[in-house]
Amino acid sequence: MIPWLDLASARKIGFLPTDGYVDPYLLSMAYARAAAARGVKIRQNTGVTDVLAEHDRVIGVETTAGRFECESVIDAAGAWAALLSAQAGYPLPMAPVRSHYWITKPDPSYGGDHPVITMPDVGAYARPDVGAILLGIHEKYSATFDARELPDDPAAFSPTVGEDHWDCLAEAANGIARLFPGIAKAQFPNYVAGLSTYTPDGKIVLGPVPGQPGFLVASGCCGSGIVLSAGIGGTVADLALGRTPSIDISPFRPDRFGPVDPFNGEFRGLCAASRANKSK
Ligand SMILES: Cc1cc2nc3c(=O)[nH]c(=O)nc-3n(C[C@H](O)[C@H](O)[C@H](O)COP(=O)(O)OP(=O)(O)OC[C@H]3O[C@@H](n4cnc5c(N)ncnc54)[C@H](O)[C@@H]3O)c2cc1C
């Protein structure tokens, strides 16, 4: 199925026939269209500047387009989620960590469409990408960022400084070559990097924000926010509507680490370390 993969040294291989992959942009647009069809109004380019509370209960948000009152506020602000929650009085346990992948030149010898593959021994994963290989690496030390220092406009920020991403690829290449012998000759014209929010235990943050009735969080996706999106969305909708979710959300409690400072360097290091272990 995967002609570029050398299986000689593998002791065990798992194949999940129902696994797949999805274009995240198309998926997001499909959610947006489905929501709009049910009457949801999406306000782009509108920043939440404050979470409003009265009598110890969240009652709405202040935004760059005015005040909105509501019964539930859901903090799903990605890399900015802990910043927003800290403004509202509860710093969430997560930090922005750089995720990145490389894409080879297309080559028919890669075999075209094939399953997603995770390679725990070498901390890497791959999937086909229009005749090329998309190769992601979970390096030992991922870059992490202080959410307070991120610009409001994500387009004005790059999580990659200089050429350090080539060092990550070069460092991992020897190990990966055992499974992908062609890596030495492969060319990588495309590199994609962005921020994901990670938690120290690699689990999402989902549920009511402690001590703030009406304030919910759906974040800390640990680099899996696309694959988990439908489940997280359904669960947080249940919570907002006062229904019992179909899954046990206790492992994802925002207060499971006790009080944290999400901007502290040591804490951010723990979050970055959980990315290193992701493919394991
Ligand atoms: C290179 C890379 C590869 C990845 N690969 C995968 C993968 O293979 N599978 C997978 O499942 N996931 C993957 N992820 C992770 C996935 O992209 C994230 O988990 C997911 O995008 C998180 O979605 P989100 O909606 O929580 O946050 P985001 O997508 O970050 O969205 C948060 C939004 O909130 C907005 N916002 C922030 N603050 C405010 C405010 N105060 N007011 C208004 N709006 C605000 C932001 O502008 C942003 O639009 C990858 C991420 C990267 C960077």
Side-chain angles (χ1 to χ4, degrees):
M1 297 173 103
I2 311 180
W4 54 264
L5 190 64
D6 183 353
L7 302 175
S9 60
R11 277 180 295 163
K12 283 186 184 168
I13 300 169
F15 172 53
L16 306 176
T18 53
D19 256 13
Y21 56 92
V22 67
D23 180 309
Y25 173 78
L26 294 178
L27 180 68
S28 304
M29 294 309 288
Y31 284 140
R33 272 199 305 275
R38 288 167 188 229
V40 171
K41 290 199 177 81
I42 296 174
R43 292 176 182 262
Q44 292 186 280
N45 302 312
T46 305
V48 173
T49 52
D50 203 4
V51 178
L52 305 171
E54 218 172 76
H55 308 302
D56 291 336
R57 204 203 138 75
V58 165
I59 53 151
V61 286
E62 192 65 54
T63 78
T64 49
R67 180 186 167 114
F68 293 85
E69 293 189 0
C70 57
E71 286 175 21
S72 301
V73 171
I74 300 166
D75 182 351
W80 297 264
L83 190 60
L84 186 64
S85 74
Q87 278 168 2
Y90 193 92
L92 290 166
M94 63 182 84
V97 175
R98 178 177 69 184
S99 294
H100 51 184
Y101 55 74
W102 293 256
I103 305 174
T104 65
K105 270 187 166 174
D107 188 326
S109 73
Y110 295 145
D113 201 23
H114 64 63
V116 177
I117 169 169
T118 305
M119 299 169 271
D121 290 0
V122 293
Y125 64 94
R127 70 161 169 83
D129 189 72
V130 208
I133 302 171
L134 182 158
L135 179 69
I137 295 171
H138 294 130
E139 69 269 24
K140 214 167 170 187
Y141 304 104
S142 296
T144 98
F145 298 85
D146 183 333
R148 293 172 302 188
E149 289 166 14
L150 299 176
D152 286 349
D153 177 10
F157 173 77
S158 166
T160 294
V161 186
E163 302 271 295
D164 71 326
H165 59 297
W166 292 119
D167 295 339
C168 294
L169 182 60
E171 274 163 28
N174 276 347
I176 294 172
R178 184 160 60 84
L179 299 162
F180 175 20
I183 194 170
K185 289 197 183 134
Q187 293 180 33
F188 292 90
N190 296 308
Y191 169 72
V192 175
L195 295 177
S196 285
T197 48
Y198 277 78
T199 58
D201 63 3
K203 292 193 173 85
I204 59 173
V205 183
L206 178 64
V209 175
Q212 314 237 349
F215 196 23
L216 299 164
V217 59
S219 195
C221 296
C222 297
S224 298
I226 307 299
V227 73
L228 298 175
S229 56
I232 292 175
T235 303
V236 82
D238 281 342
L239 293 170
L241 295 171
R243 298 188 300 232
T244 305
S246 58
I247 58 160
D248 172 16
I249 56 166
S250 59
F252 315 128
R253 293 189 326 271
D255 60 353
R256 63 186 185 271
F257 303 103
V260 299
D261 173 1
F263 313 118
N264 168 276
E266 200 178 326
F267 176 80
R268 288 193 283 119
L270 296 175
C271 297
S274 81
R275 180 174 184 273
N277 295 321
K278 188 162 183 235
S279 45
K280 294 176 184 152

